[in-house]
Amino acid sequence: MSKGLVDYQDGEHIDQNVLIRDADIRTAKNGKPFIALIFSDSSGQIKGKLWGAKPEDIAQFVKGTIVHLKGLREIYQTTPQVRIDKMTVSTDPNISVDDLVPHAPINKSDLEAQLNQYLLEITEAKWNRIVRWLLAKTDGKFFDYPAAKSNHHAYAGGLAYHTISMLKLAAAISQEYPQINQALLYAGTILHDLGKVVELTGPETTTYTLSGNLIGHIVLVDEAIVEACEALNFALTDEKIILLRHMVLAHHGQLEFGSPVRPKLLEAEVLHQIDEMDASLTMISTALAHTKPGQYTPRLFALEQRQFYQPKL
Amino acid sequence: MSKGLVDYQDGEHIDQNVLIRDADIRTAKNGKPFIALIFSDSSGQIKGKLWGAKPEDIAQFVKGTIVHLKGLREIYQTTPQVRIDKMTVSTDPNISVDDLVPHAPINKSDLEAQLNQYLLEITEAKWNRIVRWLLAKTDGKFFDYPAAKSNHHAYAGGLAYHTISMLKLAAAISQEYPQINQALLYAGTILHDLGKVVELTGPETTTYTLSGNLIGHIVLVDEAIVEACEALNFALTDEKIILLRHMVLAHHGQLEFGSPVRPKLLEAEVLHQIDEMDASLTMISTALAHTKPGQYTPRLFALEQRQFYQPKL
Amino acid sequence: MSKGLVDYQDGEHIDQNVLIRDADIRTAKNGKPFIALIFSDSSGQIKGKLWGAKPEDIAQFVKGTIVHLKGLREIYQTTPQVRIDKMTVSTDPNISVDDLVPHAPINKSDLEAQLNQYLLEITEAKWNRIVRWLLAKTDGKFFDYPAAKSNHHAYAGGLAYHTISMLKLAAAISQEYPQINQALLYAGTILHDLGKVVELTGPETTTYTLSGNLIGHIVLVDEAIVEACEALNFALTDEKIILLRHMVLAHHGQLEFGSPVRPKLLEAEVLHQIDEMDASLTMISTALAHTKPGQYTPRLFALEQRQFYQPKL
Amino acid sequence: MSKGLVDYQDGEHIDQNVLIRDADIRTAKNGKPFIALIFSDSSGQIKGKLWGAKPEDIAQFVKGTIVHLKGLREIYQTTPQVRIDKMTVSTDPNISVDDLVPHAPINKSDLEAQLNQYLLEITEAKWNRIVRWLLAKTDGKFFDYPAAKSNHHAYAGGLAYHTISMLKLAAAISQEYPQINQALLYAGTILHDLGKVVELTGPETTTYTLSGNLIGHIVLVDEAIVEACEALNFALTDEKIILLRHMVLAHHGQLEFGSPVRPKLLEAEVLHQIDEMDASLTMISTALAHTKPGQYTPRLFALEQRQFYQPKL
Amino acid sequence: MSKGLVDYQDGEHIDQNVLIRDADIRTAKNGKPFIALIFSDSSGQIKGKLWGAKPEDIAQFVKGTIVHLKGLREIYQTTPQVRIDKMTVSTDPNISVDDLVPHAPINKSDLEAQLNQYLLEITEAKWNRIVRWLLAKTDGKFFDYPAAKSNHHAYAGGLAYHTISMLKLAAAISQEYPQINQALLYAGTILHDLGKVVELTGPETTTYTLSGNLIGHIVLVDEAIVEACEALNFALTDEKIILLRHMVLAHHGQLEFGSPVRPKLLEAEVLHQIDEMDASLTMISTALAHTKPGQYTPRLFALEQRQFYQPKL
Amino acid sequence: MSKGLVDYQDGEHIDQNVLIRDADIRTAKNGKPFIALIFSDSSGQIKGKLWGAKPEDIAQFVKGTIVHLKGLREIYQTTPQVRIDKMTVSTDPNISVDDLVPHAPINKSDLEAQLNQYLLEITEAKWNRIVRWLLAKTDGKFFDYPAAKSNHHAYAGGLAYHTISMLKLAAAISQEYPQINQALLYAGTILHDLGKVVELTGPETTTYTLSGNLIGHIVLVDEAIVEACEALNFALTDEKIILLRHMVLAHHGQLEFGSPVRPKLLEAEVLHQIDEMDASLTMISTALAHTKPGQYTPRLFALEQRQFYQPKL
């Protein structure tokens, strides 16, 4: 991995193409306007401020512009930022916006191909049809959305990538513990976070919708399964339907994390554990990827502020 | 209130008609059969054992029989029970089973009449129609079911009685705080525990259904609202529908008590608080009704094992 | 309600009379003096800084002055503030300090009249006399003090207004649950926060006294009841006195919120619940009053950082 | 220490004089009366049952009788008890009731003498007078009462003994940390549990009074200090009085253990810590005194169910 | 799986060979001796009592005897037991003690073979040598010990079986997340519970040793690694050694579960998660194996008292 | 105590010799370099910034330099700092670096002498030899290291001073409770924090080593005891060794504070309590030493953010 924005150390000079992810015009204490900027490349983001912004600066350095940035990486009140020395609109024809945003490590068509394999293995007909009906209904959003607003897999395609990673874990674990109902585990895994498609506004400026806030993504998937059953003419009293809904409702594992019921099926417990496992391993690995041997990661908010060590080995 | 089964003190003699709520044939250590009994009258229940039961005893003292019971009230391992001196099948023609089970302090037709008044005041058309559609669908069960398996309002009609009590509180509080949307509060109050009709098996031998266990009564009401919207052709994206669903989903107040979201509407917070208020005041009052002045109630399980004092005043 | 200081959005221009609630002279990094100001009107408060303050500014812009303020509402490190464009001492003869501070929505004489009605209904003679003796002893402060340093009812008259609101709730609830001893509930409600008169230094610059810090307002009321009993010659062993003291001591509901005992009377539990209800509904309503339809309130500190939604309805 | 009742192991034969602490007539399953007994000697208590009790047994084996007991020590449902082989009213003229109840290891006159020494060292006049006034008011009960209903120092004289032990710790610690105000620490130590004299009904059959339950021993001492100030004409606003009251109010250390305020004085923190230290060391030592080398104590309820090890050393 | 002791329902007749795991002579209330027995077969255990035991019964029905048992399965105070109708010493030559105790589903030589494969993949020399040195030192106990006193894998060979299951999970997960240092994960997995060999007294009558109680199995493994380093002449300051010790010390994941440090390595987090996963899936699966379709397991103590559902599917 | 750096109030002028503890060159918003400084004297530390630093300033105002500082004490974003008016390299020949750093109130040779006295009283030979072997191994570091990175005794010599203070408490308490094994308590006290010598990098710039982070100081002492036993040829299975290791392992008292086992010896419980007592009393006293009568200390982080009151007495 070549050096990205998040890899610079304090005092190093940045000199590369970046995308302006956000540009906010504000007024400094001396009364002059400045632009508060967020830059990104494929490695992540960094903040910066353009002091004494002229009208032409304000006009050209808008959100979505690719610029060539020169400056010093420094720490301002514990947050890394870049002190801008020079910034010009990029004229490099070989750089596109897509190169300068984080993305899933597997491309969309591969994700689709892998998902299709797992769909074939949902051997229970009702579960298979519900899953396919719901995936069809998202109209491709399943492959475009992030898995979360921040924390882990917070990039376009993150939802599908997180789901595929969990399916691989599910396959490996089912092989160790053959008493697991693999079809149920696969169906639950694919559906568990599908509510994010409704809860979050989209891959670009990710925020919560009213439904996301007042109903929550767990119940939103449950609602979607109920709708699928209506459409497919499956009775809600069928044990198979109750089991599938339980998989989704219980996947946060504990009431205080938002599940209205705790796991009461072997497969629901497994789904909860592989969700936690993929999320935590991804967060730790991402942080370690930008940590030098012999150093510690920053405190990871979603992992109870723990720091992890990068061995020198 | 005349003296009921739960009012006897240790060492007092019981001599009254009671209903056999449960009769279980077991074998004593000496190898002889005995019957483990649960008796009830309108004040509540007490246990007892008929040692050395003869075949004719086993034949006649079955669940649902009204008997005339004579015996001594005593404490066995901290639980009150009756030591049976004599027990005969009752021949009193004026006593019916209905007289010997706890029931709501208001009769069914009065509950219906009162509910109808509140329905008129749900002035928002969609909420009104959803509530009526769902009440109709319960096919009268709303007026027959208990509000809980144990703890509070755990008798036939308890669900309706608890709901009406909450509506009265809702009315009084809305008058104090006119910023409350009364229609939303009434609609949410009527629906909040409707899932119990699905979750519990019925008023007689109350237990949890598979849906009750794996999905939970909170999400079961939510599912019912979704079905009502399908039937009534209301869009699920309508803010009015989202608000109503939120009322039900958030009414336990905290995630660890099973709500998948915490209250985010003024009315949802009020609904949660009047639910708690009616439940706790009913539990305390019920316990105090059987406590002598200057004494304390037993420890109340659902109120964190607290005991309450009956003043001598 | 016309637009007040807390209603401005980011980037809007403020142009109105305000009161200087606080003015603190400090030195900027460039060595020049500036004034850190807090402005208020009847809607609430906002901060601002006057950079490069001249001696005449320092002389005239003191605490308690009414000024005409022009400036831009902006956000500085997540806190709203006003960037001052112009500020002149107000010459408007129709504006008084009283118009520019938050106040109870009911005036003092109405609060007194309402309180007197409830006093008449404390039908138990000892409770009635203790309550009247203690109210008299506060020498009117009961009607001048805030109910809290911040959070809810944090304005002059807030204590009386909070108490009256609770009495109204108490009246409504006693009607629903006639087993409640209304006289005890009213007496406890009036006394429950009376210790704030000792705990807080006053309505103007509200802070904690030594007694407030080392003894706490709950025990301070208890001490006051003990003093009243001495003065009125009531025995402390009288059950009536013990009950009344318990009402006050238990009103925070839980040990971890500072009550040395948990509620052990039905009326003590009710007092605790209506205290919570009025406090929380007031905080939510106050925040929603300044929130546009379709928006959320800021995170409310005293309600576990929750945000509430203002429906578009 | 010779072998006492609590020292017997399972299967050993008991043959000694004991006191009947409690005798309760009950009816066995076979309809015959039996006596449920609690025996004690100076080492502690044990339960036993006299099956098939005759009228003369019931007449003579009453509470307060000294009997010679022969029987087998056994475990019934995890609780030690004695299976009675023979029991006769003792005729030994050298045994008195006082020999057969647990008591403080120091006699009353020595406790008084030691307390007087510490009183001399309360060099602040107001604190000294308040402490003496309150001790006088207990009319000797201070030396007769237990320190708790169970757990630690739960015997006649336990309150005084616990207090003296704490004073010794206080003296030793003040010598290490001369910044401690010794007079304040001594005064607070003597008063801290004085409320037990009101809270508990007495040394014989220890239970909670109404004041103990509804007000609690912490606030009861506070009330007593307020009364003392009235009697001695000390102003409640005097810092010295506020400090002394704080010592008592804060001595449980944490709100959830019943203190309405947490320690905010160095001396209040010390008082809390030496209270915990004496209580816990006494409980552990008492349990270890009856534990053989290489064995563990039973689980100690008041020490979070921990077991302690008796080394073989 | 043929019907085992734990598979009988209430009221069914048992008629099979069983092993007497424990036989305790006690005295009944009527003064006659009885034997409290624990029986087992390969499916698990059940209790029973032989009332009115004759001397020859006491002589022959001792611990370790194989008997042919006839009786009724019943519930006594919520615990299943067998009411013994007939019991004779078994004369069946084809039954051995080994057939009548629970055992690991894989035999010892297969466990050894599988472990050897994983040892080959610990490609870091120091870790490999430490692991081999420590396994050698347990002198085969690693393959004989249970993994816990109760809860999961509580049978002879359970420790090795639990370890091998975790190694399989470790292999599968390392394949998904190639950033994991597989050698470190394998070494940590094999060592993580090796302290049980010291902590527990053995496979037969499993209890805690003094070291197990006062030092704990986590630190006991750490001590063993330190000893291995001394013996193998590896410096304790070598990062490789620190990493391996951290794997063991952190594997309980949280301080409150007894780890003195929380996981600070990616591999330590994985080790903790696969330990939890194998333990919980094993406990759930074991309970479900004896639960009929449509029924729930008993409450599982080590899984926060949850019950799991066996689908009818 | 003469006025030290931490004693100045807001707005007071500082004019004294100080040591530069840290000097960090940074760039201001206007692009010019400044020096972020930390100054100390024997009373503690304060921050300051030298704006517009010239090359000669950067050259001379380096870490370890003694300077004469003139400036104004002010508050910047809740943190005290000094606004530098003038700063010159000190030429005072009577001031040494040692005078300008906090240090233990007892000098090193006195600490050594006192420790030797306690060593004599460790009358058990094995404990005595282990303690002496380990103290010798630290090669004097025991007397140079701080007891913690911050919080309490965070200065050179703090570890020894904290240990000696605890030994004095241990001596006083053993006298009150003669059942305490004094030799065991002394040995455990001396060793309990010895791991800090490995965990922390040293007295100068105190931070955590890799062992400190991944293994923790509690287990590091345990490892050291194991090494001592190897060297001294003491069996690890000897009860005496297990007891001593338990003393160290359990001294944090609770699992969530990092002890892998809770105290299970009387002496281990005492060790935990005197550790807490000395740490908390020292923190409170240190804060009160810089607090004026009638004022409160700042919130003390390690004491759950509590503030303490300095009486006017």
Side-chain angles (χ1 to χ4, degrees), chain E residues 213-214 223 245-246 264, chain F residues 213-214 223 245-246 264:
Chain E
N213 268 326
L214 263 54
E223 165 198 321
R245 292 174 67 191
H246 177 76
K264 292 180 178 173
Chain F
N213 268 326
L214 262 54
E223 166 198 322
R245 291 175 67 192
H246 178 76
K264 291 179 179 174

Side-chain angles (χ1 to χ4, degrees), chain E residues 4 10 110 160 173 283:
Chain E
D10 218 30
D110 284 356
I173 290 164
M283 283 186 278

Side-chain angles (χ1 to χ4, degrees), chain A residues 210-216 218-220 222-223 226-227 230 236-237 239 241-243 245-246 249 255-262 264-265, chain B residues 210-216 218-220 222-223 226-227 230 236-237 239 241-243 245-246 249 255-262 264-265:
Chain A
L210 184 62
S211 296
N213 268 326
L214 263 54
I215 293 178
I218 285 186
V219 175
L220 285 173
D222 187 64
E223 166 197 322
V226 169
E227 288 184 302
E230 297 272 342
L236 289 172
T237 52
E239 191 198 57
I241 306 305
I242 294 172
L243 298 181
R245 292 174 67 191
H246 177 76
L249 289 170
L255 301 189
E256 53 266 50
F257 300 146
S259 272
V261 282
R262 302 199 63 190
K264 292 179 180 174
L265 295 172
Chain B
L210 184 63
S211 296
N213 267 327
L214 263 54
I215 294 179
I218 286 186
V219 174
L220 285 173
D222 187 63
E223 166 198 322
V226 169
E227 287 184 303
E230 296 273 343
L236 289 172
T237 52
E239 191 197 56
I241 306 306
I242 294 172
L243 298 182
R245 292 174 66 192
H246 177 76
L249 290 169
L255 301 189
E256 52 266 50
F257 299 146
S259 272
V261 282
R262 300 198 65 191
K264 292 180 178 173
L265 293 173

Side-chain angles (χ1 to χ4, degrees), chain E residues 126-146:
Chain E
K126 286 186 180 167
W127 297 334
N128 194 306
R129 290 182 63 199
I130 289 171
V131 170
R132 288 181 188 276
W133 192 91
L134 286 170
L135 282 173
K137 197 181 163 223
T138 72
D139 195 23
K141 286 186 192 166
F142 178 74
F143 293 100
D144 291 338
Y145 266 62

